[in-house]
Amino acid sequence: MWVLGLCGLTPSLRDFARGFWVSPRRHPDFAWAWLSRMLITLTLAMGIGYLQYFLRDAVHYESLFPGSTVEQGVVVLVAVFTLGSVAPTLLAGWLSDRSGRRRPAVFAGGLTMALAALVLTTATSWGSAIAAAALLGAGYGMFVAVDQAMVTQLLPTDADRGKDLGIISLSNSASNTLGPVIAAPLVTSAGGYPLMYGVAAAFAVAGATLVWRIRSVR
């Protein structure tokens, strides 16, 4: 009886899972937006995820500031990231609404995040870490403010808006999961932190570039 009951449920479960599938062939703009967001947020996940170790191993924060801890340095950089995001977030959103154009702001945000990562491929000073945090905050602010508005214009059907927004949000979860997995072997390789941040910059450039594949919004 139990087996028969399980077999009876299988088609229902299959249909339920199938209901979360959005065909990239039928809805290519939605698929490009998902992939673009995943790649750009992957840069953020890699940069933030290894920030504490970067300060310890590359910047030598505790030697620069005796009596301070690496964790305190991370708090300072997170504050710089947050403050650096405020004005670009508001400005990008305002300009995007005024012009009706979404893609340029998303593209600019991704490239600014790539620039932040590139700073850390060539410099390991505390000043460079501050500059990178400010750039990363500015880029992410521009990106996140307009990308969410753009995505709402790309949802496949009105009836499934909640589900489709949930699928888009999975791109963030995917990047947070993949970020440490990709970063760990890069950091421990001969290339070290410069290689890891270089790869992170490449992801941001790729994600920013893919936004131009979206055709149904400007």
Side-chain angles (χ1 to χ4, degrees), residues 102-176:
R102 307 298 188 195
R103 295 183 300 173
V106 175
F107 180 72
L111 289 191
T112 305
M113 292 175 67
L115 179 59
L118 287 176
V119 167
L120 299 181
T121 66
T122 57
T124 57
S125 66
W126 174 239
S128 65
I130 291 285
L135 284 170
L136 190 64
Y140 187 67
M142 285 188 281
F143 165 75
V144 76
V146 181
D147 183 71
Q148 187 66 18
M150 181 180 72
V151 163
T152 61
Q153 297 177 247
L154 302 175
L155 299 179
T157 63
D158 291 340
D160 293 324
R161 285 182 176 273
K163 182 258 298 182
D164 293 335
L165 283 173
I167 292 172
I168 284 288
S169 295
L170 287 177
S171 62
N172 298 331
S173 301
S175 62
N176 288 330

Side-chain angles (χ1 to χ4, degrees), residues 2-214:
W2 178 82
V3 174
L4 290 175
L6 183 61
C7 291
L9 284 174
T10 300
S12 298
L13 291 174
R14 189 182 300 117
D15 291 342
F16 177 76
R18 196 175 290 154
F20 287 91
W21 172 250
V22 178
S23 170
R25 181 168 305 208
R26 293 179 57 197
H27 305 286
D29 285 352
F30 184 83
W32 288 125
W34 193 97
L35 185 57
S36 171
R37 177 182 288 198
M38 195 273 286
L39 289 170
I40 290 175
T41 53
L42 186 57
T43 299
L44 182 69
M46 293 173 69
I48 297 295
Y50 274 78
L51 189 57
Q52 180 175 340
Y53 306 106
F54 178 78
L55 290 183
R56 184 193 67 191
D57 302 332
V59 177
H60 305 294
Y61 181 84
E62 293 178 351
S63 297
L64 287 174
F65 303 100
S68 299
T69 65
V70 170
E71 288 76 12
Q72 290 173 321
V74 171
V75 170
V76 172
L77 293 184
V78 170
V80 171
F81 171 91
T82 303
L83 292 173
S85 70
V86 174
T89 299
L90 297 174
L91 182 60
W94 181 76
L95 288 174
S96 178
D97 286 341
R98 286 285 298 248
S99 66
R101 297 172 65 86
R102 307 298 188 195
R103 295 183 300 173
V106 175
F107 180 72
L111 289 191
T112 305
M113 292 175 67
L115 179 59
L118 287 176
V119 167
L120 299 181
T121 66
T122 57
T124 57
S125 66
W126 174 239
S128 65
I130 291 285
L135 284 170
L136 190 64
Y140 187 67
M142 285 188 281
F143 165 75
V144 76
V146 181
D147 183 71
Q148 187 66 18
M150 181 180 72
V151 163
T152 61
Q153 297 177 247
L154 302 175
L155 299 179
T157 63
D158 291 340
D160 293 324
R161 285 182 176 273
K163 182 258 298 182
D164 293 335
L165 283 173
I167 292 172
I168 284 288
S169 295
L170 287 177
S171 62
N172 298 331
S173 301
S175 62
N176 288 330
T177 301
L178 290 173
V181 174
I182 295 172
L186 297 175
V187 169
T188 56
S189 72
Y193 290 102
L195 176 60
M196 190 271 282
Y197 283 114
V199 171
F203 283 137
V205 171
T209 302
L210 286 179
V211 77
W212 299 112
R213 300 297 298 268
I214 298 171

